[in-house]
Amino acid sequence: MEKENIVELKNISVAFDGEQVLDGLNLDIVDGEFITLLGPSGCGKTTTLRLIAGFLEPDTGDVLFEGKKINGVPAYKRQVNTIFQRYALFPHLNVYENIAFGLRVKKRPESEIKEKVAEMLKLVNLTGLEKRHTDTLSGGQQQRVAIARAIANHPKVLLLDEPLAALDLKLRKDMQKELKKIQQQLGITFIFVTHDQEEALTMSDRVVVMDSGRIQQVGTPQDIYNEPRNAFVADFIGESNIVDGKMLKDYYVEFSGQKFDCLDKGFAAGESVDVVVRPEDVDIVEPEKGMLKGVVTSVAFLGVHYEIIVDIGGFKWMIQTTDEHFAGDSVGLYIEPDAIHIMKKSEYSGLYGDYSSYSEEIDHLSDAEEEEP
Amino acid sequence: MNKKAFGNKLVASPYIVWSAIFIVVPLIIMVYFSLTDQNGAFTLANISDIGKYKKAFGISILYAAVATLITLVLAYPMAYFMTKLNISSQRMLFMIVMIPMWMNFLIRTYSWITILANTGLINTFLSKLGLGPLRLINTPGAVILGMVYDFIPYMILPLYSVMSKLDKSLLEAAEDLGSDAFTKFRRVLFPLSKPGMISGITMVFVPSVSTFYISQKLGGNKTMLIGDTIEYFFNLGPTYYNIASAISLVLMVMILVCLFIMNRCGGNDEDGGVLM
């Protein structure tokens, strides 16, 4: 059965004090999906969430819920609930009363509230902490109370505003799994806001990459990673070497002074393009066997692999490899056709994907260390 | 002796000396006078005579309670409104609330006479319209007005202080969970602003219940508040110091009991409120 759109944003623009925060945003959110709004701070992702919650009205454009326009419907009448960035638990109420808040406001009978709160506590593994004051809970427990409090109201859509940002790495990973489990268990649509690309990739059915109030790309995590639409997306999601290239014909591209087979087509012959090669897709070989030749300028050991910077005709590439190399080594690079991704030129071309500043930074740091007596 | 502790004591010593001379010693003198007769012999007669002044006590408490309630009702929305404004407007309003407090409160009270008097500002204006004159000065209403006017900043400031520290997302969370404006107020804003209310009520009620100047200037001599009673006896000369001290002592104990009960009702929210 085809799933229906539960939330639709139609041509939405919002400006604060003359500054454009959202610029002609269009987005359909499918019932039951886990969708993530991903972007740097100031990209408009939280604003988008607040529009759906009802804390903010668009200057132009419509917000639709189950096909009906809900512009002007106040937040308390909308069938959505929010998990706030710093949880916003009520400090004057204990855990039980926090979770019961929405049900009490709706004047549900006491027996139903009791049953529901117990069910929620079980769902988030907090059974036994009913009487605790929220400020005696750990960050992770507060997070769970916030989840329980929101879900107790049976929202059709749950909005999550960077809910894991305040947790430490280990706890964040656990909560990611748990949130995903809860979402699958309850079948509620989750709209999740984050600036953490890894979080977005691991949790989401679909990812919406945003920048400067506009959607840059919408797709599955695999689409976003493997087929970024422009240099911004390629750079924001993972690491990318982005070089200028020229499409000679379908499946054939020239960059860094060499010609390569690739899997992309549909460009005009001779069209200027951005070429993306992920650092983990490059093999380091003997200089004479390489398709490109260069000199290693810096090496960093990251545990799983080495991150090395290779200077190829003045452009610095990042390569991730499990083999050890040393600064000053001459190396060859071997790139498979399926490791090459071609993008049309965009406003972001030339801004990202060169690691020269990165390597300089490392050089600079190591210089500084050497100067120490 | 620990050097640091000694240093701290040294810094605090002027204030300790000050409090000893001007707070502790007068309190001891007051207690001494209330428990002795004119010859300095111990007696409880002054205290047991307090019953004679129960009317003054009653009126004082009633007026102070009404004035405190009015101040609360006026100040609460004002303080909330202030927190909604941008920072520069908040600062400006804050100043507007503060500035009258820099003026001597006797002068501020006096200025109300020129407004409320039978030939004052309001009645002059009314007579131009062919109305009045209204009886404004020397009424209980004028006394309560004076109390409200003089003490309202002490209500606004602690409320504003608590409300401006309130995390705005708590109100959004309440709305998100289905609360309309009134429910938001009742279930979140009101309970969380309680420490500010308790500070404000204390700081308005205590000076109101013990005032004598306001009632004399704005109430004529018709309403004898407990503060007036104390002043009256005190002015009669040393013979009456004992009874004046006894009334003061009882008033003080009553206020302390009120404060204790109020702070108990406020629960254990130590943070936010400013008890001066």
Side-chain angles (χ1 to χ4, degrees), chain A residues 287-298:
Chain A
E288 55 276 11
K289 288 183 192 156
M291 303 159 102
L292 295 170
K293 290 176 190 53
V295 178
V296 176
T297 61
S298 73

Side-chain angles (χ1 to χ4, degrees), chain A residues 50 55 75-76 80-82 84 86 88-92 101-102 104-106 149 153, chain B residues 167 169-181 183 186-188 191-192 269:
Chain A
R50 293 175 63 81
F55 297 132
Y76 71 92
V80 299
N81 282 113
T82 307
F84 292 85
R86 279 167 296 124
L89 299 180
F90 301 119
H92 58 302
F101 191 94
R104 289 216 191 282
V105 168
K106 290 184 193 78
R149 183 178 71 175
N153 301 283
Chain B
D167 183 358
S169 63
L170 290 175
L171 293 176
E172 282 187 352
E175 187 174 353
D176 188 76
L177 294 164
S179 313
D180 56 21
T183 314
R186 191 169 66 88
R187 287 187 178 268
V188 180
L192 288 177
D269 321 289

Side-chain angles (χ1 to χ4, degrees), chain B residues 66-124:
Chain B
V66 171
T68 307
L69 188 69
I70 294 172
T71 353
L72 179 63
V73 169
L74 293 176
Y76 199 96
M78 169 74 181
Y80 184 67
F81 172 72
M82 277 169 72
T83 63
K84 289 275 184 180
L85 299 173
N86 62 40
I87 289 295
S88 61
S89 311
Q90 281 191 33
R91 281 211 192 105
M92 177 135 109
L93 262 177
F94 193 82
M95 287 303 288
I96 291 174
V97 172
M98 287 289 288
I99 286 170
M101 289 171 69
W102 298 345
M103 264 177 280
N104 188 299
F105 106 105
L106 303 182
I107 297 170
R108 282 187 282 143
T109 311
Y110 224 88
S111 67
W112 274 105
I113 299 178
T114 63
I115 297 171
L116 299 177
N118 292 336
T119 54
L121 215 58
I122 294 175
N123 277 323
T124 310

Side-chain angles (χ1 to χ4, degrees), chain B residues 172-244:
Chain B
E172 282 187 352
E175 187 174 353
D176 188 76
L177 294 164
S179 313
D180 56 21
F182 178 70
T183 314
K184 263 199 297 191
F185 166 73
R186 191 169 66 88
R187 287 187 178 268
V188 180
L189 184 62
F190 186 80
L192 288 177
S193 56
K194 222 151 79 180
M197 278 193 285
I198 288 175
S199 296
I201 290 172
T202 309
M203 293 200 301
V204 172
F205 182 78
V206 172
S208 295
V209 82
S210 55
T211 187
F212 59 94
Y213 188 78
I214 295 173
S215 52
Q216 282 169 14
K217 291 298 160 202
L218 301 178
N221 290 321
K222 288 189 302 181
T223 37
M224 193 76 162
L225 297 187
I226 199 67
D228 300 313
T229 315
I230 297 169
E231 201 222 5
Y232 169 76
F233 281 121
F234 207 77
N235 285 339
L236 288 182
T239 338
Y240 293 90
Y241 282 2
N242 306 88
I243 183 68

Side-chain angles (χ1 to χ4, degrees), chain A residues 225-340:
Chain A
Y225 190 83
N226 295 329
E227 308 283 328
R229 187 187 287 162
N230 60 35
F232 176 81
V233 178
D235 181 73
F236 196 77
I237 317 288
E239 300 288 348
S240 298
N241 299 294
I242 307 172
V243 294
D244 282 333
K246 193 156 73 171
M247 211 58 191
L248 300 174
K249 57 181 185 182
D250 282 353
Y251 312 117
Y252 204 52
V253 64
E254 180 184 343
F255 60 87
S256 303
Q258 301 292 326
K259 297 181 177 66
F260 295 84
D261 288 324
C262 65
L263 304 179
D264 299 79
K265 64 177 172 77
F267 294 86
E271 187 176 339
S272 285
V273 291
D274 286 335
V275 179
V276 183
V277 180
R278 296 287 184 185
E280 70 274 21
D281 292 340
V282 181
D283 292 327
I284 296 195
V285 292
E286 301 287 315
E288 55 276 11
K289 288 183 192 156
M291 303 159 102
L292 295 170
K293 290 176 190 53
V295 178
V296 176
T297 61
S298 73
V299 179
F301 179 59
L302 298 185
V304 181
H305 52 69
Y306 293 91
E307 209 162 75
I308 69 175
I309 304 294
V310 179
D311 187 331
I312 295 170
F315 190 95
K316 305 223 172 162
W317 288 59
M318 177 193 276
I319 293 151
Q320 291 166 351
T321 170
T322 48
D323 301 324
E324 191 172 12
H325 297 272
F326 299 96
D329 285 0
S330 285
V331 293
L333 305 191
Y334 183 81
I335 304 167
E336 294 274 358
D338 68 357
I340 296 169

